[in-house]
Tab-separated table of all heavy atoms in Angstrom:
chain	number	residue	atom	x	y	z
A	1465	SER	N	-20.130	-45.930	67.250
A	1465	SER	CA	-21.439	-46.209	67.664
A	1465	SER	C	-22.343	-45.006	67.447
A	1465	SER	O	-23.482	-45.125	66.908
A	1465	SER	CB	-21.483	-46.516	69.176
A	1465	SER	OG	-20.654	-47.676	69.463
A	1466	GLU	N	-21.868	-43.815	67.799
A	1466	GLU	CA	-22.665	-42.578	67.604
A	1466	GLU	C	-22.925	-42.333	66.153
A	1466	GLU	O	-23.993	-41.935	65.701
A	1466	GLU	CB	-21.953	-41.414	68.269
A	1466	GLU	CG	-22.841	-40.148	68.375
A	1466	GLU	CD	-24.040	-40.355	69.226
A	1466	GLU	OE1	-23.857	-40.836	70.339
A	1466	GLU	OE2	-25.129	-40.041	68.801
A	1467	LEU	N	-21.904	-42.527	65.332
A	1467	LEU	CA	-22.019	-42.273	63.888
A	1467	LEU	C	-23.038	-43.236	63.278
A	1467	LEU	O	-23.942	-42.753	62.512
A	1467	LEU	CB	-20.640	-42.470	63.215
A	1467	LEU	CG	-20.646	-42.338	61.654
A	1467	LEU	CD1	-21.091	-40.970	61.247
A	1467	LEU	CD2	-19.260	-42.703	61.131
A	1468	LEU	N	-22.937	-44.481	63.519
A	1468	LEU	CA	-23.852	-45.480	62.904
A	1468	LEU	C	-25.280	-45.266	63.400
A	1468	LEU	O	-26.219	-45.377	62.643
A	1468	LEU	CB	-23.352	-46.866	63.216
A	1468	LEU	CG	-22.101	-47.216	62.540
A	1468	LEU	CD1	-21.591	-48.631	62.987
A	1468	LEU	CD2	-22.204	-47.235	61.058
A	1469	HIS	N	-25.396	-44.955	64.685
A	1469	HIS	CA	-26.747	-44.693	65.173
A	1469	HIS	C	-27.404	-43.486	64.458
A	1469	HIS	O	-28.569	-43.536	64.064
A	1469	HIS	CB	-26.631	-44.393	66.687
A	1469	HIS	CG	-28.009	-44.040	67.309
A	1469	HIS	ND1	-28.953	-45.002	67.585
A	1469	HIS	CD2	-28.497	-42.868	67.755
A	1469	HIS	CE1	-29.970	-44.413	68.148
A	1469	HIS	NE2	-29.764	-43.125	68.256
A	1470	SER	N	-26.582	-42.442	64.182
A	1470	SER	CA	-27.135	-41.303	63.483
A	1470	SER	C	-27.352	-41.585	62.029
A	1470	SER	O	-28.366	-41.110	61.446
A	1470	SER	CB	-26.131	-40.108	63.607
A	1470	SER	OG	-25.981	-39.752	64.954
A	1471	LEU	N	-26.479	-42.380	61.389
A	1471	LEU	CA	-26.746	-42.726	59.970
A	1471	LEU	C	-28.026	-43.521	59.810
A	1471	LEU	O	-28.742	-43.298	58.808
A	1471	LEU	CB	-25.538	-43.505	59.458
A	1471	LEU	CG	-24.272	-42.748	59.216
A	1471	LEU	CD1	-23.108	-43.691	58.759
A	1471	LEU	CD2	-24.443	-41.706	58.127
A	1472	GLU	N	-28.336	-44.341	60.701
A	1472	GLU	CA	-29.586	-45.081	60.644
A	1472	GLU	C	-30.774	-44.185	60.707
A	1472	GLU	O	-31.744	-44.324	59.898
A	1472	GLU	CB	-29.706	-46.112	61.733
A	1472	GLU	CG	-28.850	-47.308	61.571
A	1472	GLU	CD	-29.067	-48.365	62.618
A	1472	GLU	OE1	-29.277	-47.972	63.771
A	1472	GLU	OE2	-29.099	-49.555	62.252
A	1473	SER	N	-30.706	-43.144	61.554
A	1473	SER	CA	-31.818	-42.197	61.606
A	1473	SER	C	-31.917	-41.310	60.450
A	1473	SER	O	-33.028	-40.752	60.139
A	1473	SER	CB	-31.616	-41.321	62.883
A	1473	SER	OG	-30.509	-40.470	62.772
A	1474	LEU	N	-30.831	-41.160	59.666
A	1474	LEU	CA	-30.849	-40.392	58.441
A	1474	LEU	C	-31.249	-41.137	57.162
A	1474	LEU	O	-31.490	-40.628	56.152
A	1474	LEU	CB	-29.493	-39.744	58.199
A	1474	LEU	CG	-28.976	-38.704	59.249
A	1474	LEU	CD1	-27.540	-38.362	59.039
A	1474	LEU	CD2	-29.852	-37.455	59.244
A	1475	ASP	N	-31.246	-42.516	57.302
A	1475	ASP	CA	-31.502	-43.387	56.162
A	1475	ASP	C	-32.960	-43.628	56.035
A	1475	ASP	O	-33.507	-44.697	56.140
A	1475	ASP	CB	-30.718	-44.693	56.402
A	1475	ASP	CG	-30.710	-45.545	55.105
A	1475	ASP	OD1	-30.949	-44.944	54.026
A	1475	ASP	OD2	-30.451	-46.748	55.229
A	1476	HIS	N	-33.728	-42.499	55.651
A	1476	HIS	CA	-35.159	-42.605	55.594
A	1476	HIS	C	-35.637	-43.553	54.480
A	1476	HIS	O	-36.671	-44.231	54.653
A	1476	HIS	CB	-35.743	-41.187	55.349
A	1476	HIS	CG	-35.323	-40.243	56.383
A	1476	HIS	ND1	-35.664	-40.342	57.740
A	1476	HIS	CD2	-34.565	-39.060	56.295
A	1476	HIS	CE1	-35.172	-39.259	58.401
A	1476	HIS	NE2	-34.470	-38.526	57.488
A	1477	ASP	N	-34.918	-43.569	53.387
A	1477	ASP	CA	-35.353	-44.409	52.234
A	1477	ASP	C	-34.594	-45.714	52.140
A	1477	ASP	O	-34.832	-46.506	51.193
A	1477	ASP	CB	-35.168	-43.618	50.899
A	1477	ASP	CG	-35.917	-42.278	50.900
A	1477	ASP	OD1	-37.012	-42.280	51.438
A	1477	ASP	OD2	-35.345	-41.305	50.390
A	1478	GLY	N	-33.736	-45.971	53.057
A	1478	GLY	CA	-32.993	-47.247	53.089
A	1478	GLY	C	-32.012	-47.375	51.955
A	1478	GLY	O	-31.787	-48.496	51.513
A	1479	ASP	N	-31.476	-46.238	51.396
A	1479	ASP	CA	-30.612	-46.345	50.248
A	1479	ASP	C	-29.192	-45.751	50.492
A	1479	ASP	O	-28.545	-45.334	49.548
A	1479	ASP	CB	-31.281	-45.627	49.062
A	1479	ASP	CG	-31.541	-44.188	49.301
A	1479	ASP	OD1	-31.346	-43.757	50.462
A	1479	ASP	OD2	-32.013	-43.528	48.380
A	1480	LEU	N	-28.786	-45.696	51.718
A	1480	LEU	CA	-27.465	-45.176	52.039
A	1480	LEU	C	-26.371	-46.183	51.987
A	1480	LEU	O	-25.226	-45.865	52.359
A	1480	LEU	CB	-27.469	-44.487	53.413
A	1480	LEU	CG	-28.257	-43.203	53.612
A	1480	LEU	CD1	-28.087	-42.611	54.979
A	1480	LEU	CD2	-27.871	-42.140	52.525
A	1481	ARG	N	-26.673	-47.372	51.500
A	1481	ARG	CA	-25.661	-48.443	51.389
A	1481	ARG	C	-25.046	-48.781	52.727
A	1481	ARG	O	-23.835	-49.040	52.853
A	1481	ARG	CB	-24.554	-47.990	50.385
A	1481	ARG	CG	-25.072	-47.640	49.018
A	1481	ARG	CD	-23.935	-47.149	48.133
A	1481	ARG	NE	-24.442	-46.686	46.839
A	1481	ARG	CZ	-23.730	-46.051	45.886
A	1481	ARG	NH1	-22.493	-45.779	46.161
A	1481	ARG	NH2	-24.261	-45.699	44.753
A	1482	LEU	N	-25.904	-48.748	53.738
A	1482	LEU	CA	-25.375	-49.089	55.052
A	1482	LEU	C	-25.047	-50.616	55.165
A	1482	LEU	O	-24.302	-50.973	56.090
A	1482	LEU	CB	-26.428	-48.754	56.130
A	1482	LEU	CG	-26.749	-47.245	56.304
A	1482	LEU	CD1	-27.719	-47.033	57.438
A	1482	LEU	CD2	-25.490	-46.451	56.519
A	1483	ASP	N	-25.577	-51.373	54.226
A	1483	ASP	CA	-25.264	-52.821	54.223
A	1483	ASP	C	-23.768	-53.030	53.958
A	1483	ASP	O	-23.157	-53.959	54.440
A	1483	ASP	CB	-26.107	-53.549	53.146
A	1483	ASP	CG	-25.923	-52.941	51.763
A	1483	ASP	OD1	-25.627	-51.720	51.681
A	1483	ASP	OD2	-26.143	-53.631	50.800
A	1484	ALA	N	-23.144	-52.098	53.154
A	1484	ALA	CA	-21.688	-52.250	52.890
A	1484	ALA	C	-20.923	-52.010	54.166
A	1484	ALA	O	-19.929	-52.690	54.442
A	1484	ALA	CB	-21.273	-51.233	51.804
A	1485	ILE	N	-21.356	-51.044	54.946
A	1485	ILE	CA	-20.667	-50.813	56.271
A	1485	ILE	C	-20.911	-52.044	57.172
A	1485	ILE	O	-20.055	-52.462	57.873
A	1485	ILE	CB	-21.234	-49.560	56.928
A	1485	ILE	CG1	-20.842	-48.309	56.110
A	1485	ILE	CG2	-20.706	-49.380	58.373
A	1485	ILE	CD1	-21.286	-46.976	56.712
A	1486	ALA	N	-22.131	-52.557	57.132
A	1486	ALA	CA	-22.466	-53.704	57.938
A	1486	ALA	C	-21.601	-54.916	57.632
A	1486	ALA	O	-21.152	-55.672	58.502
A	1486	ALA	CB	-23.912	-54.117	57.784
A	1487	THR	N	-21.195	-55.027	56.373
A	1487	THR	CA	-20.307	-56.130	55.935
A	1487	THR	C	-18.902	-55.938	56.450
A	1487	THR	O	-18.294	-56.928	56.872
A	1487	THR	CB	-20.262	-56.208	54.338
A	1487	THR	OG1	-21.634	-56.403	53.914
A	1487	THR	CG2	-19.383	-57.373	53.954
A	1488	THR	N	-18.375	-54.714	56.427
A	1488	THR	CA	-17.010	-54.510	56.871
A	1488	THR	C	-16.835	-54.241	58.335
A	1488	THR	O	-15.779	-54.421	58.899
A	1488	THR	CB	-16.440	-53.261	56.115
A	1488	THR	OG1	-17.184	-52.100	56.443
A	1488	THR	CG2	-16.442	-53.488	54.601
A	1489	LEU	N	-17.945	-53.890	58.984
A	1489	LEU	CA	-17.867	-53.453	60.358
A	1489	LEU	C	-17.409	-54.490	61.358
A	1489	LEU	O	-16.548	-54.181	62.236
A	1489	LEU	CB	-19.207	-52.822	60.801
A	1489	LEU	CG	-19.264	-52.188	62.204
A	1489	LEU	CD1	-18.287	-51.052	62.270
A	1489	LEU	CD2	-20.616	-51.661	62.503
A	1490	PRO	N	-17.901	-55.723	61.252
A	1490	PRO	CA	-17.486	-56.725	62.314
A	1490	PRO	C	-15.952	-56.913	62.351
A	1490	PRO	O	-15.369	-56.864	63.453
A	1490	PRO	CB	-18.153	-58.006	61.856
A	1490	PRO	CG	-19.365	-57.558	61.129
A	1490	PRO	CD	-18.937	-56.307	60.387
A	1491	ARG	N	-15.297	-57.104	61.243
A	1491	ARG	CA	-13.840	-57.293	61.243
A	1491	ARG	C	-13.131	-55.940	61.656
A	1491	ARG	O	-12.133	-55.983	62.435
A	1491	ARG	CB	-13.315	-57.666	59.821
A	1491	ARG	CG	-13.704	-59.053	59.425
A	1491	ARG	CD	-12.866	-59.487	58.194
A	1491	ARG	NE	-11.546	-59.898	58.562
A	1491	ARG	CZ	-10.518	-59.953	57.727
A	1491	ARG	NH1	-10.654	-59.459	56.601
A	1491	ARG	NH2	-9.338	-60.381	58.209
A	1492	PHE	N	-13.683	-54.808	61.232
A	1492	PHE	CA	-13.017	-53.569	61.591
A	1492	PHE	C	-13.042	-53.317	63.159
A	1492	PHE	O	-12.054	-52.967	63.725
A	1492	PHE	CB	-13.803	-52.384	60.882
A	1492	PHE	CG	-13.344	-51.020	61.322
A	1492	PHE	CD1	-12.098	-50.552	60.970
A	1492	PHE	CD2	-14.222	-50.219	62.060
A	1492	PHE	CE1	-11.666	-49.262	61.381
A	1492	PHE	CE2	-13.740	-48.939	62.509
A	1492	PHE	CZ	-12.530	-48.484	62.152
A	1493	LEU	N	-14.186	-53.594	63.737
A	1493	LEU	CA	-14.312	-53.393	65.183
A	1493	LEU	C	-13.502	-54.471	65.959
A	1493	LEU	O	-12.926	-54.137	66.971
A	1493	LEU	CB	-15.785	-53.423	65.643
A	1493	LEU	CG	-16.610	-52.206	65.273
A	1493	LEU	CD1	-18.045	-52.364	65.771
A	1493	LEU	CD2	-15.972	-50.922	65.853
A	1494	LYS	N	-13.478	-55.667	65.449
A	1494	LYS	CA	-12.725	-56.690	66.138
A	1494	LYS	C	-11.208	-56.382	66.048
A	1494	LYS	O	-10.476	-56.713	66.901
A	1494	LYS	CB	-13.010	-58.046	65.610
A	1494	LYS	CG	-14.402	-58.563	66.076
A	1494	LYS	CD	-14.674	-59.962	65.583
A	1494	LYS	CE	-16.075	-60.411	66.190
A	1494	LYS	NZ	-16.417	-61.783	65.768
A	1495	VAL	N	-10.781	-55.726	64.946
A	1495	VAL	CA	-9.423	-55.254	64.829
A	1495	VAL	C	-9.141	-54.321	65.982
A	1495	VAL	O	-8.030	-54.340	66.621
A	1495	VAL	CB	-9.189	-54.536	63.528
A	1495	VAL	CG1	-7.916	-53.702	63.556
A	1495	VAL	CG2	-9.059	-55.604	62.407
A	1496	ALA	N	-10.101	-53.509	66.362
A	1496	ALA	CA	-9.895	-52.441	67.362
A	1496	ALA	C	-10.137	-52.962	68.739
A	1496	ALA	O	-9.523	-52.481	69.706
A	1496	ALA	CB	-10.780	-51.243	67.070
A	1497	LEU	N	-11.076	-53.950	68.926
A	1497	LEU	CA	-11.568	-54.248	70.287
A	1497	LEU	C	-11.095	-55.569	70.849
A	1497	LEU	O	-11.180	-55.750	72.067
A	1497	LEU	CB	-13.118	-54.253	70.235
A	1497	LEU	CG	-13.749	-52.937	69.919
A	1497	LEU	CD1	-15.231	-53.060	69.826
A	1497	LEU	CD2	-13.397	-51.881	70.964
A	1498	THR	N	-10.645	-56.505	70.026
A	1498	THR	CA	-10.342	-57.851	70.521
A	1498	THR	C	-8.880	-57.984	70.983
A	1498	THR	O	-7.987	-57.573	70.237
A	1498	THR	CB	-10.665	-58.903	69.473
A	1498	THR	OG1	-11.952	-58.727	69.012
A	1498	THR	CG2	-10.516	-60.290	70.067
A	1499	LYS	N	-8.638	-58.492	72.130
A	1499	LYS	CA	-7.275	-58.636	72.642
A	1499	LYS	C	-6.422	-59.516	71.706
A	1499	LYS	O	-5.262	-59.302	71.516
A	1499	LYS	CB	-7.308	-59.258	74.024
A	1499	LYS	CG	-7.710	-58.312	75.159
A	1499	LYS	CD	-7.391	-58.857	76.509
A	1499	LYS	CE	-8.247	-60.105	76.798
A	1499	LYS	NZ	-7.996	-60.569	78.165
A	1500	ALA	N	-7.114	-60.556	71.143
A	1500	ALA	CA	-6.347	-61.476	70.311
A	1500	ALA	C	-6.034	-60.879	68.970
A	1500	ALA	O	-5.223	-61.396	68.215
A	1500	ALA	CB	-7.127	-62.777	70.112
A	1501	VAL	N	-6.716	-59.808	68.583
A	1501	VAL	CA	-6.472	-59.105	67.294
A	1501	VAL	C	-6.236	-57.637	67.663
A	1501	VAL	O	-7.058	-56.847	67.445
A	1501	VAL	CB	-7.673	-59.304	66.345
A	1501	VAL	CG1	-7.292	-58.823	64.966
A	1501	VAL	CG2	-8.123	-60.712	66.337
A	1502	PRO	N	-5.074	-57.352	68.220
A	1502	PRO	CA	-4.885	-56.023	68.939
A	1502	PRO	C	-4.432	-54.891	68.027
A	1502	PRO	O	-3.423	-54.283	68.291
A	1502	PRO	CB	-3.821	-56.413	69.946
A	1502	PRO	CG	-2.947	-57.404	69.206
A	1502	PRO	CD	-3.885	-58.152	68.330
A	1503	TRP	N	-5.168	-54.619	66.926
A	1503	TRP	CA	-4.716	-53.579	66.052
A	1503	TRP	C	-5.618	-52.331	66.149
A	1503	TRP	O	-6.789	-52.424	65.828
A	1503	TRP	CB	-4.676	-54.094	64.599
A	1503	TRP	CG	-3.861	-55.312	64.419
A	1503	TRP	CD1	-4.294	-56.582	64.238
A	1503	TRP	CD2	-2.417	-55.373	64.404
A	1503	TRP	NE1	-3.319	-57.439	64.098
A	1503	TRP	CE2	-2.143	-56.764	64.168
A	1503	TRP	CE3	-1.393	-54.518	64.532
A	1503	TRP	CZ2	-0.849	-57.245	64.128
A	1503	TRP	CZ3	-0.081	-54.982	64.425
A	1503	TRP	CH2	0.209	-56.318	64.239
A	1504	THR	N	-5.079	-51.219	66.473
A	1504	THR	CA	-5.724	-49.908	66.318
A	1504	THR	C	-4.653	-48.824	66.390
A	1504	THR	O	-3.616	-49.029	66.957
A	1504	THR	CB	-6.767	-49.668	67.402
A	1504	THR	OG1	-7.517	-48.471	67.137
A	1504	THR	CG2	-6.205	-49.545	68.787
């Protein structure tokens, strides 16, 4: 959370390819956070 919040503040020109992180992030976090997908 802290990393992504900071990256957004650093992305002044909107060219840090944060969309790629946005694409992978939901599955990545659900791997870590969901009881039914208990991988971390």
Side-chain angles (χ1 to χ4, degrees):
S1465 300
E1466 190 63 50
L1467 175 63
L1468 293 176
H1469 179 73
S1470 298
L1471 286 176
E1472 284 185 321
S1473 67
L1474 295 170
D1475 192 17
H1476 305 296
D1477 302 322
D1479 58 356
L1480 290 185
R1481 302 175 184 171
L1482 297 182
D1483 55 334
I1485 295 181
T1487 301
T1488 61
L1489 187 58
R1491 289 195 79 203
F1492 174 69
L1493 287 179
K1494 286 184 179 180
V1495 162
L1497 297 175
T1498 307
K1499 284 193 295 183
V1501 191
W1503 304 104
T1504 187

